[in-house]
């Protein structure tokens, strides 16, 4: 059995070696786990600053959970992804560190089921 759930179509060059898959089976409810190298301001980790859009640019309904101890964010879809549909994981510059520092550039990772 292949260990592929999604096809990552496009990643910013600076993240190429940091985006990994650790998957064992197909599901329409893939949860993104994002890890930052500095502590984040939890008030800036919201559905408005981190989200998934479909190929028409419509936001999917998601649940965002920030684990301050592990410095990870889970972005879980509350509706299944459609097969053969393109999506983008979007992380805006409004996500800030506890010290108030923003990302230099927004992040967009294109993927499909």
């Amino acid at each position: 059995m292949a260990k592929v759930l999604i096809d990552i179509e496009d990643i910013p060059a600076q993240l190429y070696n940091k985006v990994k898959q650790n998957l064992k089976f197909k599901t329409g409810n893939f949860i993104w786990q994002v890890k930052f190298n500095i502590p984040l301001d939890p008030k800036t980790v919201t559905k408005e600053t981190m989200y998934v859009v479909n190929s028409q640019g419509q936001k999917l309904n998601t649940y965002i959970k920030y684990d301050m101890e592990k410095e990870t964010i889970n972005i879980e879809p509350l509706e299944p992804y459609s097969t053969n549909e393109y999506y983008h994981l979007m992380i805006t510059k409004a996500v800030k560190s506890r010290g108030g520092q923003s990302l230099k550039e927004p992040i967009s990772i294109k993927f499909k089921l």
Side-chain angles (χ1 to χ4, degrees):
M1 175 189 287
K3 293 186 177 188
V4 176
L5 168 65
I6 61 173
D7 292 321
I8 297 174
E9 299 287 324
D10 189 29
I11 311 172
Q14 72 271 22
L15 297 178
Y16 187 76
N17 291 325
K18 296 180 181 185
V19 176
K20 300 177 177 119
Q21 293 188 59
N22 185 12
L23 309 166
K24 297 185 193 267
F25 53 89
K26 284 186 93 104
T27 174
N29 294 321
F30 176 77
I31 299 172
W32 280 97
Q33 186 175 73
V34 181
K35 182 167 179 63
F36 285 80
N37 59 358
I38 57 173
L40 298 177
D41 177 350
K43 293 180 278 192
T44 67
V45 179
T46 68
K47 290 181 184 183
E48 287 74 39
T49 62
M50 303 182 83
Y51 51 90
V52 175
V53 296
N54 64 17
S55 58
Q56 290 80 40
Q58 299 168 324
K59 284 186 183 179
L60 272 66
N61 191 15
T62 56
Y63 172 71
I64 309 279
K65 180 181 177 191
Y66 178 42
D67 183 332
M68 292 191 318
E69 189 174 305
K70 295 180 182 177
E71 299 300 334
T72 58
I73 300 163
N74 287 339
I75 304 169
E76 178 180 357
L78 296 178
E79 54 191 284
Y81 297 117
S82 298
T83 305
N84 294 320
E85 171 79 32
Y86 285 98
Y87 296 93
H88 287 267
L89 169 64
M90 308 295 292
I91 303 173
T92 71
K93 289 174 45 174
V95 176
K96 296 183 179 182
S97 70
R98 287 194 195 141
Q101 182 179 8
S102 297
L103 292 172
K104 292 179 184 176
E105 296 291 328
I107 296 171
S108 174
I109 299 173
K110 183 178 179 182
F111 66 99
K112 79 172 188 169
L113 246 44

